[in-house]
Amino acid sequence: MKRFWVAWGERYLYNPSLIQKILSVLLLPLSWIYCLLAYIRYLRSRPKSFGIPVVSVGNLIVGGSGKTPIVVELAKHFEKPAIVLRGYGRQSRGMVVVKDKSTILCDVIKSGDEAMLYAQMLDSAMVIVSEIRERAIAEAASMGCDVVLLDDGYGKHSIEKLNLLIAVPTPNPYCLPSGAYREKLWSSKKVIVMMERVDFKRSVTLKNPTEKMVLVTAIARPERLDPFLPEVIEKVYFEDHHFFTQGELEMIVERTGATSLLVTSKDLVKMSSYKKLNISVLELSIELNETIITTVKDYVNAAKN
């Protein structure tokens, strides 16, 4: 049932039917109130410096936009980066140092899938999850990091930072609950808007391909994968951040006769202990425009001085 409502909600926000469009219009008064409250919250905020450069990679909408590979690519350009994020889907609370400069300190259940992916992909990066991002930034500064990369930080208006904003096309331009926007791009807020195929390009490598693959994934808006998919015999979608059990994955293999499960790197971190499963992996990488890289480096260097 939960999977049904998640899929319904994604269609409502990004590819609405006629009935869903009518519902969206009926909910517009609530959207105006929501957007007004978000604007007031923005106006009342006062950006604070934490003694360390902070670069945010975010978007304005609910659902996925591909922030993770961009953060990974940016982190590679610094010696002592820290990745700070909320840790959606984790089964823990408070601040957790997932990885110090060399060692992963907890499991994926405590860290969440995105944080563990960062920890595994970036040898020199510290990774911290916390509902209170300011606390995690202060911790990164105390541990000697030279820059904080904030995953999904546009709305954290009280933090002094460089804002990179990924543009995500949507036919529904309204704030919640009529549309997908958590808040608008306020005219007085300085941001760098990043356009796909202009400021960054995505590419995918397929590892361990087999003859009969079933796509199994738990990411937001999984249809984003379609342009990169090889031929698959079926697609099975779970809600974002879902923790797979070995039993449910084995049932998918048995039902479909698949020779492997095709997953993303984000899904894979939650399956690494399931040794009996044959896994194929879609590894997504990003090529960033040199102008973006230079802009970020210039900001970080100026903030240090």
Side-chain angles (χ1 to χ4, degrees):
M1 181 60 70
K2 183 177 179 181
R3 200 183 308 176
F4 168 82
W5 286 112
V6 169
W8 188 94
E10 289 180 345
R11 288 195 302 272
Y12 167 73
L13 294 175
Y14 295 101
N15 189 25
S17 65
L18 177 60
I19 293 176
Q20 288 173 326
K21 289 179 181 178
I22 294 172
L23 177 60
S24 175
V25 172
L26 292 175
L27 290 173
L28 272 176
L30 292 178
S31 290
W32 295 332
I33 293 171
Y34 175 94
C35 212
L36 175 61
L37 292 175
Y39 185 55
I40 292 172
R41 172 178 168 270
Y42 162 65
L43 290 177
R44 294 180 63 183
S45 65
R46 295 294 180 267
K48 175 185 174 183
S49 172
F50 289 84
I52 184 173
V54 179
V55 178
S56 166
V57 179
N59 60 24
L60 293 173
I61 62 168
V62 296
S65 61
K67 297 182 296 293
T68 303
I70 291 177
V71 173
V72 168
E73 186 58 32
L74 284 173
K76 294 176 182 177
H77 293 274
F78 298 97
E79 291 185 9
K80 296 180 289 184
I83 314 297
V84 167
L85 63 163
R86 187 188 188 282
Y88 286 103
R90 63 186 172 116
Q91 297 177 22
S92 64
R93 296 179 63 84
M95 186 178 73
V96 177
V97 178
V98 177
K99 178 180 172 291
D100 61 18
K101 295 172 184 177
S102 60
T103 307
I104 296 176
L105 303 173
C106 66
D107 61 20
V108 68
I109 293 176
K110 194 171 183 180
S111 71
D113 48 14
E114 291 171 338
M116 185 56 65
L117 183 58
Y118 285 133
Q120 292 181 358
M121 293 188 69
L122 296 167
D123 292 338
S124 62
M126 178 185 293
V127 181
I128 306 174
V129 295
S130 178
E131 294 90 350
I132 303 172
R133 260 46 67 90
E134 292 87 347
R135 184 182 174 195
I137 292 169
E139 180 70 12
S142 72
M143 297 184 72
C145 294
D146 59 5
V147 61
V148 168
L149 298 175
L150 186 58
D151 182 315
D152 197 18
Y154 171 79
K156 303 302 174 184
H157 304 301
S158 62
I159 300 172
E160 185 177 296
K161 60 190 185 298
L162 174 67
N163 285 286
L164 304 181
L165 202 62
I166 303 171
V168 180
T170 170
N172 193 333
Y174 304 114
C175 285
L176 294 166
S178 284
Y181 283 82
R182 294 177 286 182
E183 58 185 295
K184 290 296 187 177
L185 179 56
W186 312 122
S187 59
S188 57
K189 189 174 180 70
K190 294 181 180 180
V191 302
I192 297 172
V193 178
M194 299 177 62
M195 304 289 294
E196 187 166 359
R197 293 184 292 276
V198 177
D199 300 296
F200 64 94
K201 296 179 182 178
R202 307 180 195 268
S203 61
V204 167
T205 302
L206 176 59
K207 290 198 169 184
N208 186 38
T210 67
E211 183 180 357
K212 296 169 64 179
M213 295 181 289
V214 171
L215 175 67
V216 178
T217 188
I219 65 171
R221 299 197 298 122
E223 68 278 0
R224 293 180 291 140
L225 297 175
D226 287 349
F228 308 104
L229 284 181
E231 184 176 349
V232 296
I233 60 175
E234 190 174 323
K235 301 173 184 177
V236 182
Y237 299 147
F238 292 84
E239 61 270 18
D240 195 17
H241 305 293
H242 174 76
F243 277 87
F244 308 98
T245 67
Q246 184 162 347
E248 67 189 357
L249 296 175
E250 288 175 345
M251 287 178 62
I252 293 171
V253 172
E254 183 178 351
R255 177 178 59 80
T256 61
T259 52
S260 68
L261 300 176
L262 179 62
V263 304
T264 68
S265 298
K266 178 180 166 182
D267 300 309
L268 182 63
V269 299
K270 296 174 289 188
M271 302 180 182
S272 57
S273 62
Y274 302 156
K275 303 301 182 184
K276 295 181 181 180
L277 295 171
N278 191 20
I279 304 291
S280 305
V281 184
L282 282 172
E283 287 195 348
L284 178 64
S285 59
I286 290 287
E287 179 184 347
L288 280 174
N289 188 305
E290 284 297 326
T291 302
I292 296 293
I293 296 171
T294 300
T295 300
V296 171
K297 284 184 174 180
D298 287 347
Y299 174 83
V300 170
N301 291 333
K304 288 178 180 178
N305 299 329

